[in-house]
Amino acid sequence: MTLLDWSISFHVHWLAIADSANLITLLQFPFMQRAIAGGVLMGLLGGFLGSFVTLRQLSFFSHAVGHAALVGLVMGVLLQLNPTWMLLPFTVIFGLAVLYLIDQTNLASDNILSIVLSGALAIGVILSSFIQGYRGNLLGALFGDILAINNTDLVLVFLLLVGSGIFLLSTLREQILLTLNPDVAKVQGVPVQLYRYLFVVLLSLAVAVSIKAVGILLVNAFLVIPASTAKLLSHQFIYFLWLSVFLGAMSSVAGMIVSGLFNFASGPSIVLVQFLLFLAVLGWAKLNLQAS
């Protein structure tokens, strides 16, 4: 399977349909139904994990993992493997390795992330030069195509969402304490290191499964913007968490509608909706603050 098959297999059909049919007609097509289901599931997952990412200031971490995923994609193409199955272990190994390096050095975490991100991007670009023939299909991986989601992708996202929910919600008190003050959490007997590494595994997997929908360049925004918007609306953790989940799912569906109506790329459309929503909420919050 080539990267083109993986990323933009339905793109030509989508362009033709979007020009000649309305959204009701589009919903009758299996690929559109999978895209909506995938968008909702990824939106839920992104909003859920993104709330912890935002509070723990891990935005740059997920950004680094997302960009380094280019190496995994190119390696999948070179080895003639399904890029999805190459991405999953690669992002996990990369995320754990970066966290280990941060723990083992005296350098600031953003320095480590910048160094590793730059190195991974350099490796990915160099490896891409070994791909024989047309390499323009890498653009599909950079910007994503949610219409290329298949049943396997849906199962993977669903399992990751369920696994993340079970782990984080069953240990919610410890997770909140770890988020607010890791030192106090350690004194209270919370296995801080174990929980940190498990969360990085979940975050890395979330980045891997979301790349197909929104692409390498935008996957970090997919995780961060809904949670940041929710943070402007609520300062109570539980409300903030569920609002982040809701905004993630809602913006994904709205982005796909925008994509269908105006024939825009699906990944950028979703992030554009999230960005505009963030600006609207920010403006509303500023007006309320001035009024009070």
Side-chain angles (χ1 to χ4, degrees):
M1 178 180 289
T2 66
L3 188 59
L4 178 62
D5 294 329
W6 176 82
S7 62
I8 52 175
S9 57
F10 290 112
H11 191 61
V12 174
H13 299 287
W14 166 247
L15 291 176
I17 294 168
D19 290 337
S20 61
N22 55 33
L23 291 175
I24 301 299
T25 304
L26 286 174
L27 293 175
Q28 300 175 6
F29 291 87
F31 71 88
M32 190 62 183
Q33 295 168 3
R34 287 194 297 269
I36 292 177
V40 171
L41 289 174
M42 290 182 185
L44 293 172
L45 179 64
F48 185 55
L49 294 181
S51 59
F52 291 94
V53 168
T54 301
L55 293 180
R56 295 180 182 180
Q57 299 181 345
L58 291 173
S59 300
F60 196 24
F61 188 96
S62 59
H63 176 75
V65 173
H67 280 64
L70 177 63
V71 179
L73 284 172
V74 175
M75 287 175 61
V77 174
L78 290 174
L79 297 175
Q80 297 184 344
L81 300 174
N82 187 325
T84 298
W85 298 117
M86 194 68 191
L87 266 181
L88 293 174
F90 177 83
T91 53
V92 170
I93 293 172
F94 180 85
L96 292 176
V98 171
L99 185 58
Y100 178 79
L101 286 176
I102 292 174
D103 289 342
Q104 296 300 314
T105 64
N106 295 324
L107 296 174
S109 60
D110 58 341
N111 289 343
I112 295 292
L113 289 170
S114 296
I115 293 170
V116 177
L117 169 60
S118 301
L121 276 178
I123 293 172
V125 172
I126 290 174
L127 288 178
S128 67
S129 65
F130 292 99
I131 298 177
Q132 300 297 320
Y134 177 67
R135 295 195 298 270
N137 48 29
L138 285 174
L139 289 175
L142 294 178
F143 298 104
D145 185 3
I146 201 169
L147 298 173
I149 287 177
N150 54 39
N151 292 329
T152 301
D153 298 317
L154 291 178
V155 172
L156 287 173
V157 178
F158 177 76
L159 291 176
L160 183 55
L161 178 60
V162 172
S164 300
I166 292 174
F167 169 60
L168 293 174
L169 294 179
S170 64
T171 59
L172 187 58
R173 179 183 173 278
E174 291 84 355
Q175 297 295 338
I176 294 175
L177 188 59
L178 174 58
T179 300
L180 298 177
N181 195 322
D183 294 330
V184 173
K186 191 172 183 178
V187 172
Q188 293 291 327
V190 177
V192 173
Q193 286 297 88
L194 176 62
Y195 283 0
R196 286 179 67 231
Y197 277 83
L198 286 176
F199 183 76
V200 164
V201 170
L202 294 175
L203 178 59
S204 300
L205 290 174
V207 169
V209 298
S210 299
I211 282 175
K212 195 168 189 178
V214 294
I216 291 172
L217 296 181
L218 299 174
V219 68
N220 188 55
F222 191 69
L223 288 166
V224 173
I225 296 180
S228 299
T229 305
K231 192 176 181 181
L232 293 173
L233 295 171
S234 177
H235 297 290
Q236 297 185 16
F237 184 83
I238 297 299
Y239 293 119
F240 157 70
L241 177 63
W242 295 118
L243 187 57
S244 177
V245 170
F246 169 75
L247 291 176
M250 182 271 290
S251 60
S252 294
V253 175
M256 283 187 289
I257 293 175
V258 170
S259 175
L261 288 175
F262 299 101
N263 197 22
F264 295 156
S266 54
S269 296
I270 293 173
V271 175
L272 177 62
V273 168
Q274 293 176 341
F275 175 64
L276 294 177
L277 180 60
F278 172 79
L279 291 180
V281 171
L282 179 62
W284 176 81
K286 289 292 185 182
L287 289 176
N288 279 354
L289 183 61
Q290 292 176 357
S292 59

